[in-house]
């Protein structure tokens, strides 16, 4: 072979020219093909000297083999520096991740050479590969043609971003690589939406690797394509390439997760004897043994851990990229995002929850849960830098937990589906396991039966999300959500998980600082969470002994019975489709009904007694406001004593809400013509206002100078305006407006011993100024509030009001009051109509 004056190869007689991309035909390179085929077979069957190569070594050997063959063949064909030709690798060979049976992705790049010469070079390069039975994805292009393809086809562009020079004119390859990358950076603003839409479509088609019995390791969410997506965003200079998790995180970081999934896919090819992306159940044990992982369950756990690490990193990368997109035109004139306060030490910035500038994680143990609660309530993701800072600096919560931290945990659990990404992010960064050390045994633990959709840890979070929709069915929504979160915490440790879990539940309840009686109920929920479904579906409900057995096991506790009833439904719904249905629902409902017949009736709510000091102040008359610390940090007790006039409760509650004081509990009574109202509150930001300011505002409200309801509506609208929608999840319902509730409100009436009196118990979800609105609604409907007992449990509210109707205590009067109450509480979002 000789070169012409332009440096182009000059070939002698050879195979007939074929256009690039044509099928294989016979060529003169049979010996070359045989040598290449034998070398590949030796690597796949035994490696060198009959030693089986492990997955990383096999990939490296395959890359070296094909590079050596291509460079040798290139020299033979005259593809040398300054010849106007270059062999460029993309795909697995370009990334140095060549798998046993993956396609060989090659571009024959040329500098506008003579078509006849190009065809002859291509023929003599492609045919030996085809004769060796190597799947070849090839193209022959000039530099402008390649750039044009990359500009028009986003899939081709993603491939060329990973291009690597193999042989020939390196300057030509460098022009391609630099041109494609420059073009990608310049056009990313206009192509970003298409890239994310394509990614979401792929996820919908292939599912999540972490929760699939037979996952797609390449295209599934958390798979190899997602790592390539992160690389593309890094090349566009929108992310740092390895966002989210470092090597010290529970999953070992993004790099380790990527390598593990790549190793599994390598062994999948070797076991299947062909290219395959989907891991089938019958191959899992062999692959697990080859990688020295264990059986198929051990392999599934490793895949779940790795895929969830990648998924979290992709979420962070896409959010970071979305916020980093270059702005053009009038958008450049837009003011940068402002920092909106959400809670003490917590703000929102650019659609993410971040720490305030004056936050001190090292000195604020409750900051972790406040950040989580703010994220869940507002439907926003937590910034990766914030999670990293908390993981590095936040101290351990003391035991028992402060009440505010427990309340924030309940707020997270009560947010329904919005809690899932918050807990997932905390778990991937090690914060969730720090709060619940028992979580490590079930993290990424695969289910043992096919009916389960999720891993055990995700199942618990999903159960809590479903349980948040049932909080108004039970008297203790806080225990329902905690029980849902830990009901399977005993799995993965051997033995009966209900028995093991009950012991852990006692440990967790004590750590949270629950009352001993509440710890006992939580323990019993975990111990007997299977009692109702197993009894209802396996035993004769007409046998009195069946019902007596359940009542005896529960100790005749009606509250425990209703908690287990709600938990059984939430557990079934979170297990998988078809597990909960009319048949199971009716059986469990009938069992619960029969159990209630054997148990005592419900106890009436009763008011808290007034303290002697409060009685003395009430007898003095006038308006008095006192504020002092409560029994936990950042919590205060506000006592308001004022003349017992209509609307006093509403005005007092409204003033507290306008001063950004959240009411956790309240006891409302009267004495000597004065209303005595005691509130346990927490400031949303900083220190509470002084008592004298609260008194002044209360006097102004009583004089009609403040329209409390109008001001609260404005405050509510301000909270709703901060809702955020995930750019990668457009069309989902992750950002739910705050006036919507997870569970429908419920009103329960009790007949009071007092003449003409009735007790209304309201179970609903909280909102800004709810107590003020409720009191105003009750007063406007003609009911006189004799006493009240208010409890806020996370995001759930259980309020009891003793109403004096006098002689007007009729069914119509109660219906009028109930309608007025339901008009001001959060309601479930409207059902979406099918397209």
């Amino acid at each position: 072979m000789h070169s012409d004056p332009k440096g182009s190869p000059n070939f002698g007689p050879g195979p007939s020219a074929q256009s690039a991309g044509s099928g294989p035909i016979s060529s003169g390179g049979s010996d070359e093909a045989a040598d290449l085929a034998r070398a590949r077979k030796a690597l796949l069957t035994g490696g060198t000297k009959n030693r089986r190569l492990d997955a990383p070594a096999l990939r490296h050997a395959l890359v070296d083999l094909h590079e050596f063959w291509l460079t040798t063949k290139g020299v033979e064909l005259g593809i040398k520096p300054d010849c106007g030709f270059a062999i460029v690798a993309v795909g697995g060979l370009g990334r140095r991740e060549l798998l046993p049976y993956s396609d060989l992705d090659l571009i024959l790049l040329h500098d506008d050479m003579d078509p006849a010469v190009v065809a002859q070079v291509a023929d003599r390069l492609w045919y030996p590969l085809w004769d060796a039975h190597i799947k070849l994805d090839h193209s022959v292009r000039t530099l402008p043609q390649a750039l044009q393809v990359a500009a028009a086809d986003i899939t081709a562009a993603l491939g060329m971003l990973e291009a690597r020079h193999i042989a020939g004119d390196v300057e030509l390859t460098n022009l391609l690589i630099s041109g494609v990358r420059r073009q990608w950076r310049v056009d990313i603003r206009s192509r970003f939406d298409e890239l994310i839409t394509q990614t979401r479509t792929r996820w919908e088609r292939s599912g999540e690797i972490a929760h699939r019995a037979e996952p797609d390791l390449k295209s599934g969410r958390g798979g190899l394509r997602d790592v390539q997506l992160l690389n593309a965003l890094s090349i566009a200079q929108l992310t740092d390439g390895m966002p989210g998790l470092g090597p010290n995180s529970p999953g070992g970081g993004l790099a380790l997760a990527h390598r593990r999934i790549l190793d599994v896919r390598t062994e999948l090819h070797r076991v299947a004897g062909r290219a395959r992306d989907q891991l089938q159940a019958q191959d899992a044990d062999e692959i697990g043994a080859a990688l020295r992982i264990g059986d198929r369950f051990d392999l599934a756990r490793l895949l779940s851990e790795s895929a969830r690490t990648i998924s979290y990193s992709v979420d962070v990368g896409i959010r970071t990229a979305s916020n980093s997109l270059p702005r053009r035109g009038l958008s450049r004139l837009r003011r940068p995002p402002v920092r909106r306060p959400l809670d003490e030490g917590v703000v929102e910035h650019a659609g993410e929850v971040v720490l305030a500038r004056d936050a001190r994680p090292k000195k604020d143990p409750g900051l972790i849960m406040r950040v989580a609660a703010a994220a869940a309530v507002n439907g926003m993701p937590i910034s990766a830098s914030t999670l990293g800072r908390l993981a590095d600096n936040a101290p351990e919560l003391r035991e028992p937990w402060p009440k505010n931290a427990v309340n924030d945990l309940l707020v997270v659990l009560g947010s329904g589906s919005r809690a899932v990404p918050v807990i997932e992010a905390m778990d991937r960064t090690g914060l969730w396991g720090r709060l619940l050390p028992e979580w490590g045994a079930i993290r990424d633990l695969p289910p043992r039966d096919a009916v389960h959709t999720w891993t055990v840890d995700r199942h618990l979070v999903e159960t809590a999300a479903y349980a948040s929709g049932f909080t108004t069915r039970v008297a203790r929504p806080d225990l329902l959500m905690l029980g849902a979160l830990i009901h399977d915490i005993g799995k993965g440790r051997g033995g009966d998980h209900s028995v093991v879990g009950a012991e852990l539940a006692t440990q967790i309840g004590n750590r949270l600082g629950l009352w001993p009686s509440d710890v006992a109920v939580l323990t019993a929920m975990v111990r007997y969470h299977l009692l109702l479904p197993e009894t209802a579906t396996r035993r004769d409900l007409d046998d009195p002994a069946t019902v007596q057995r359940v009542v005896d096991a529960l100790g005749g506790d009606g509250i425990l019975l209703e908690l287990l009833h709600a938990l059984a439904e939430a557990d079934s719904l979170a297990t998988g489709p078809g597990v909960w249905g009319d048949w199971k629902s009716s059986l469990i409902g009938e069992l619960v009904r029969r159990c209630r017949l054997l148990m005592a009736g419900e106890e009436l709510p009763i008011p808290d007694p007034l303290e002697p000091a409060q009685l003395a102040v009430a007898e003095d008359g006038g308006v008095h406001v006192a504020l002092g610390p409560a029994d936990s940090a950042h919590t205060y007790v506000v006592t308001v004593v004022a003349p017992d006039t209509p609307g006093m409760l509403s005005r007092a509650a409204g003033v507290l809400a306008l001063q950004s004081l959240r009411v956790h509990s309240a006891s409302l009574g009267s004495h000597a013509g004065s209303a005595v109202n005691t509130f346990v509150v927490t400031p949303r930001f900083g220190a509470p206002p002084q008592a004298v300011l609260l008194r002044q505002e209360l006097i102004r409200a009583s004089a009609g100078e403040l329209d409390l309801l109008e001001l609260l509506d404005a405050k509510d609208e301000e909270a709703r305006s901060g809702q955020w929608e995930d750019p990668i999840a457009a069309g989902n319902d992750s950002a739910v407006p705050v006036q919507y509730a997870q569970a429908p409100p419920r009103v329960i009436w009790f007949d009071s011993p007092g003449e003409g009196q009735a007790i209304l118990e309201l179970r609903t979800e909280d909102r800004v100024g709810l107590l003020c609105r409720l009191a105003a609604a009750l007063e406007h409907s003609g009911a006189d509030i004799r006493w009240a007992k208010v409890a806020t449990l996370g995001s759930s509210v259980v309020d009891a009001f003793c109403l004096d109707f006098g002689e007007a205590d009729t069914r119509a009067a109660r219906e009028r009051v109930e309608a007025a109450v339901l008009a001001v509480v959060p309601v479930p979002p409207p059902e979406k109509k099918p397209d």
Side-chain angles (χ1 to χ4, degrees):
M1 179 176 59
H2 304 283
S3 297
D4 65 10
K6 292 184 179 181
S8 303
N10 184 13
F11 294 94
S16 60
Q18 297 283 328
S19 61
S22 62
I25 62 173
S26 176
S27 73
S30 59
D31 291 341
E32 298 171 342
D35 292 341
L36 180 59
R38 280 194 297 270
R40 281 175 53 87
K41 183 177 180 181
L43 289 176
L44 297 179
T45 56
T48 59
K49 298 182 180 179
N50 296 323
R51 180 176 62 87
R52 186 182 188 276
L53 298 177
D54 62 15
L58 176 59
R59 291 194 299 273
H60 294 157
L62 287 171
V63 169
D64 291 343
L65 170 64
H66 289 86
E67 279 194 27
F68 176 76
W69 188 92
L70 288 169
T71 54
T72 303
K73 188 66 176 177
V75 170
E76 176 189 328
L77 298 178
I79 302 178
K80 300 177 182 179
D82 301 324
C83 71
F85 281 90
I87 302 175
V88 182
V90 295
L93 184 59
R95 296 188 300 271
R96 300 184 188 274
E97 296 174 356
L98 192 60
L99 272 62
Y101 295 97
S102 292
D103 291 356
L104 201 61
D105 297 326
L106 298 174
I107 300 175
L108 179 59
L109 198 63
H110 65 93
D111 190 12
D112 198 20
M113 306 296 284
D114 179 26
V117 173
V118 172
Q120 193 174 23
V121 171
D123 285 350
R124 297 184 63 182
L125 180 62
W126 305 146
Y127 292 152
L129 295 173
W130 283 322
D131 290 342
H133 304 290
I134 295 175
K135 293 182 179 178
L136 186 61
D137 187 355
H138 64 288
S139 60
V140 180
R141 305 191 191 282
T142 64
L143 179 61
Q145 289 171 343
L147 293 176
Q148 185 178 5
V149 170
D153 186 342
I154 198 166
T155 301
L158 291 173
M160 291 188 203
L161 289 175
E162 302 170 328
R164 188 167 60 87
H165 179 74
I166 299 296
D169 193 338
V170 67
E171 291 301 323
L172 193 58
T173 302
N174 289 339
L175 287 174
L176 172 66
I177 295 174
S178 60
V180 169
R181 294 191 172 198
R182 182 174 57 254
Q183 182 175 270
W184 178 253
R185 286 192 292 270
V186 171
D187 296 342
I188 188 60
R189 177 181 174 85
S190 60
R191 308 186 77 173
F192 184 76
D193 289 343
E194 179 187 358
L195 177 65
I196 301 308
T197 299
Q198 187 182 89
T199 300
R200 292 185 64 244
T201 301
R202 170 169 58 80
W203 288 344
E204 292 171 2
R205 181 178 64 249
S206 303
E208 291 188 65
I209 292 177
H211 306 291
R212 280 287 180 98
E214 296 187 336
D216 186 331
L217 303 177
K218 181 179 180 181
S219 300
R221 181 177 176 89
L224 301 175
R225 283 277 181 87
D226 286 345
V227 178
Q228 295 166 25
L229 171 65
L230 287 173
N231 182 54
L233 295 177
S234 175
I235 292 173
Q237 299 179 348
L238 300 180
T239 69
D240 61 4
M242 285 287 183
L245 300 175
N248 295 326
S249 59
L254 179 61
L256 178 60
H258 176 212
R259 186 166 66 250
R260 283 174 169 173
I261 291 187
L262 195 59
D263 287 348
V264 175
R265 188 168 176 239
T266 301
E267 291 299 336
L268 175 60
H269 276 217
R270 185 147 52 178
V271 167
R274 59 187 177 87
R276 183 184 289 174
D277 299 326
Q278 188 171 24
L279 174 61
Q280 296 184 354
Q282 63 265 27
D283 298 327
D285 282 323
E286 185 176 353
I287 292 174
L291 294 174
R292 299 181 180 178
I293 295 171
D295 62 12
R296 65 183 185 278
F297 296 107
D298 299 315
L299 177 62
R301 188 168 194 174
L302 180 138
L303 283 175
S304 174
E305 179 182 67
S306 301
R308 290 164 85 172
T309 296
I310 294 173
S311 292
Y312 171 75
S313 299
V314 167
D315 288 344
V316 172
I318 291 179
R319 285 202 311 272
T320 303
S322 178
N323 291 330
S324 303
L325 284 175
R327 292 184 292 180
R328 295 180 178 176
L330 294 178
S331 63
R332 287 183 174 180
L333 304 178
R334 238 177 9 186
R335 295 180 60 186
V338 297
R339 299 169 72 87
R340 182 171 65 94
L342 299 176
D343 206 332
E344 179 65 26
V346 186
V347 300
E348 177 264 332
H349 179 72
E352 293 184 321
V353 175
V354 301
L355 297 182
R357 292 188 177 94
D358 59 352
R360 298 292 181 266
K362 292 183 178 180
K363 299 181 179 181
D364 191 353
L367 186 58
I368 294 177
M369 286 313 309
R370 289 206 303 280
V371 168
V377 167
N378 292 278
M380 295 179 182
I382 306 174
S383 163
S385 60
T386 294
L387 288 169
R389 187 177 171 192
L390 290 172
D392 293 338
N393 298 289
E396 300 287 341
L397 275 170
R398 62 175 174 83
E399 297 184 14
W401 281 22
K403 291 184 179 178
N404 288 341
V406 177
N407 188 70
D408 288 333
L409 172 62
L410 295 174
V411 169
V412 172
L413 299 180
S415 62
S417 59
R418 286 172 289 173
V420 176
V422 173
I423 295 176
E424 184 78 9
M426 295 177 68
D427 193 29
R428 292 303 114 185
T429 51
L431 291 170
W432 191 250
R434 182 186 302 180
L435 299 171
L436 291 175
E438 298 83 0
W439 201 261
I442 60 167
R443 181 183 293 114
D444 297 302
L445 185 66
R448 291 279 170 170
D449 51 82
V451 72
H452 279 269
T453 300
W454 310 104
T455 57
V456 174
D457 58 330
R458 178 63 179 272
H459 167 73
L460 294 183
V461 178
E462 291 286 338
T463 303
Y466 278 109
S468 70
F470 306 147
T471 51
T472 55
R473 298 187 192 178
V474 298
R476 293 298 304 273
D478 53 337
L479 294 181
L480 173 61
M481 291 185 290
L482 289 174
L485 180 68
I486 65 172
H487 71 276
D488 279 341
I489 198 72
K491 288 188 174 180
R493 292 174 169 85
D496 186 338
H497 79 278
S498 298
V499 176
V500 176
E503 297 176 358
L504 296 175
T506 302
Q507 179 177 303
I508 293 171
N510 290 331
R511 183 187 307 126
L512 296 180
L514 304 182
W515 287 106
S517 58
D518 291 344
V519 174
V521 173
L522 183 64
T523 299
M525 288 180 67
V526 176
R527 174 66 183 87
Y528 297 113
H529 72 273
L530 297 176
L531 178 63
L532 294 184
E534 287 184 349
T535 302
T537 57
R538 299 179 184 180
R539 295 184 178 271
D540 182 10
L541 299 187
D542 293 327
D543 184 356
T546 299
V547 179
Q548 187 65 53
R549 173 178 170 270
V550 174
V551 172
D552 292 344
L554 304 183
D557 189 338
I559 292 180
L560 177 58
L561 177 66
E562 72 175 7
L563 288 170
L564 290 176
H565 188 189
L567 177 57
E569 181 172 351
D571 187 13
S572 297
L573 290 170
T575 297
V579 177
W580 183 260
D582 293 340
W583 173 77
K584 190 173 184 179
S585 174
S586 61
L587 287 178
I588 294 179
E590 178 62 19
L591 174 60
V592 170
R593 186 188 70 82
R594 297 190 182 199
C595 288
R596 287 189 180 280
L597 295 177
L598 293 180
M599 294 181 174
E602 295 181 85
E603 296 182 2
L604 290 178
I606 59 174
D608 291 334
L610 297 178
E611 297 178 0
Q614 295 172 332
L615 297 176
V617 174
E619 291 173 355
D620 290 343
V623 178
H624 303 269
V625 177
L627 185 147
D631 57 356
S632 61
H634 306 295
T635 304
Y636 301 85
V637 177
V638 178
T639 303
V640 179
V641 180
D644 193 1
T645 57
M648 179 50 65
L649 171 59
S650 175
R651 291 192 291 273
V655 167
L656 296 179
L658 288 179
Q659 295 298 322
S660 296
L661 296 174
R662 290 181 289 193
V663 177
H664 295 296
S665 63
S667 180
L668 318 171
S670 61
H671 178 71
S674 293
V676 182
N677 303 333
T678 303
F679 306 89
V680 178
V681 301
T682 299
R684 291 184 181 272
F685 323 104
Q690 295 182 355
V692 63
L693 174 61
L694 296 177
R695 181 178 181 274
Q696 291 173 354
E697 293 296 284
L698 181 59
I699 293 174
R700 290 183 62 199
S702 300
E705 298 178 13
L706 295 177
D707 189 335
L708 294 174
L709 294 179
E710 181 178 340
L711 293 172
L712 287 174
D713 285 340
K715 201 174 185 68
D716 210 3
E717 181 62 30
E718 180 184 353
R720 287 199 304 272
S721 67
Q723 297 298 320
W724 178 84
E725 186 174 355
D726 190 340
I728 70 171
N732 74 1
D733 56 357
S734 61
V736 182
V738 294
Q739 76 270 26
Y740 287 159
Q742 302 294 325
R746 184 182 180 191
V747 172
I748 304 174
W749 290 95
F750 301 92
D751 292 327
S752 174
E755 186 69 26
Q757 295 181 357
I759 298 175
L760 179 151
E761 182 177 276
L762 172 67
R763 300 174 183 175
T764 184
E765 294 193 20
D766 202 4
R767 68 178 294 194
V768 174
L770 177 60
L771 182 56
C772 172
R773 302 173 195 272
L774 288 175
L778 291 171
E779 290 154 358
H780 292 160
S781 63
D784 184 17
I785 303 175
R786 305 298 299 172
W787 57 263
K789 191 172 182 179
V790 174
T792 303
L793 306 170
S795 58
S796 299
V797 169
V798 180
D799 293 350
F801 299 89
C802 181
L803 307 177
D804 192 344
F805 290 95
E807 296 181 356
D809 186 11
T810 63
R811 179 177 180 180
R814 293 191 182 188
E815 290 177 350
R816 183 177 65 253
V817 169
E818 184 172 333
V821 166
L822 293 178
V824 299
V825 301
V827 297
E831 295 185 4
K832 293 182 179 180
K833 295 182 179 180
D835 294 335

